[in-house]
Amino acid sequence: MRLTDSRIGSITYRGSVTSSFSLPSKKGDKAELIVVAAPKLLAKLDASNQDRVITLNIRLLGPIPYRGGDVDVEVGLFSIPQSDLVEPYLTVLDELSTLAGVSLAAPVMPLVNTVKSALNLLVGAQNGTELQIGVLTTLSPLLPGNYCAIRAPRDFAASQDVSVASDGRLLGADGKEVTRPYLVFTVSTTGQRADWYLVPEVKAAYEEIREAARRGDLQRAEEGQRAFRRIATTCDDLLIQDGIRLAEMVNKEIDAAFGESVLTSAPGRIYEMPDLDRIPLYDV
């Protein structure tokens, strides 16, 4: 992303990208995920020199399962004035959007509504916040590649041979960075989800089993095993083949905790099942 002016008079502005993605869920409706991305730590340390911050690659969403269908996209580049009033508000907004952007599951939907309300308040306030350029589109089909939006006359892109540099900057035909306000976002695909262990409902179900193993409660572990398999294979945030494989791996951990030949509860048996992120879901 790029702003034309990072400082006007005595006011310093910084860029903030707000994105909303809506895509089909397993239930047949659409799940919406919102992310607000802006410099945080550096802004607190030296608010007067935000023009010296180079913003490169920021993940807005994913990886999340894509099962076909339309993906509605809203991405906007805002210039936000640096102030004691706006800064803590934007920080809280960023933290809320991070939580709301982790999962497609229904329990996080109230967070999405909260973020949307907070965004409306921030953008609608008379604080100098200005939309520099925005994109509202439906990607159908969803194709990997680089997408850009430039605040320029309609024929600008047609007259420019634009390209994306390795660091994400938008370059013109002369190889120099485009000087108009712009944002670039990339859609890519992968066969793995590196943060799968952060999916809230999967994590909670696994912790139930781990606690049962610590107590030596075989009956509770078996109940948790059935619940975990159901959640892993129906979860919106995992591909079904990954969910099946994960459930089988957890079954092996339960067998290791209680012993495959144990048919009754075994009080006092202690086995520390690994943290969820230590299970080698993709090491096959």
Side-chain angles (χ1 to χ4, degrees), residues 49-246:
N49 289 306
Q50 281 303 293
D51 55 319
R52 300 177 183 176
V53 176
I54 300 172
T55 302
L56 297 178
N57 297 321
I58 299 175
R59 186 186 299 277
L60 295 178
L61 177 67
I64 57 173
Y66 175 62
R67 303 179 178 89
D70 295 348
V71 177
D72 299 326
V73 178
E74 291 186 53
V75 183
L77 170 61
F78 291 85
S79 58
I80 299 179
Q82 197 74 38
S83 72
D84 293 337
L85 178 62
V86 173
E87 176 58 35
Y89 193 81
L90 192 60
T91 299
V92 172
L93 189 58
D94 177 84
E95 292 173 352
L96 281 175
S97 71
T98 299
L99 292 173
V102 170
S103 173
L104 295 174
V108 302
M109 289 302 107
L111 280 178
V112 172
N113 294 330
T114 300
V115 172
K116 291 171 72 172
S117 298
L119 274 173
N120 290 333
L121 290 173
L122 178 62
V123 176
Q126 299 301 313
N127 58 14
T129 297
E130 181 181 353
L131 175 64
Q132 294 294 320
I133 185 65
V135 177
L136 171 60
T137 186
T138 297
L139 299 179
S140 179
L142 181 64
L143 298 176
N146 295 314
Y147 298 78
C148 71
I150 310 170
R151 201 184 78 189
R154 184 178 296 274
D155 60 354
F156 176 83
S159 64
Q160 293 285 326
D161 184 15
V162 296
S163 60
V164 179
S166 58
D167 60 6
R169 293 176 301 126
L170 189 65
L171 306 179
D174 57 1
K176 297 181 179 180
E177 184 177 12
V178 174
T179 58
R180 297 174 181 271
Y182 70 77
L183 65 86
V184 176
F185 68 95
T186 300
V187 176
S188 60
T189 60
T190 176
Q192 302 180 1
R193 175 172 181 165
D195 65 346
W196 61 269
Y197 52 86
L198 295 179
V199 176
E201 56 181 336
V202 172
K203 185 177 181 180
Y206 183 72
E207 288 304 318
E208 285 283 337
I209 297 174
R210 280 225 301 181
E211 185 58 33
R214 291 191 183 104
R215 297 195 305 267
D217 189 339
L218 179 60
Q219 181 177 350
R220 184 68 176 271
E222 289 177 337
E223 293 173 355
Q225 180 183 32
R226 290 191 290 270
F228 186 89
R229 183 175 184 84
R230 184 169 58 252
I231 290 171
T233 55
T234 61
C235 175
D236 254 325
D237 296 285
L238 292 177
L239 295 174
I240 187 167
Q241 61 267 30
D242 292 341
I244 293 173
R245 187 166 63 254
L246 178 59

Side-chain angles (χ1 to χ4, degrees), residues 1-19:
M1 62 182 181
R2 185 185 193 280
L3 298 180
T4 302
D5 300 306
S6 58
R7 182 181 289 118
I8 301 177
S10 60
I11 302 177
T12 299
Y13 291 82
R14 61 181 169 128
S16 174
V17 171
T18 298
S19 64

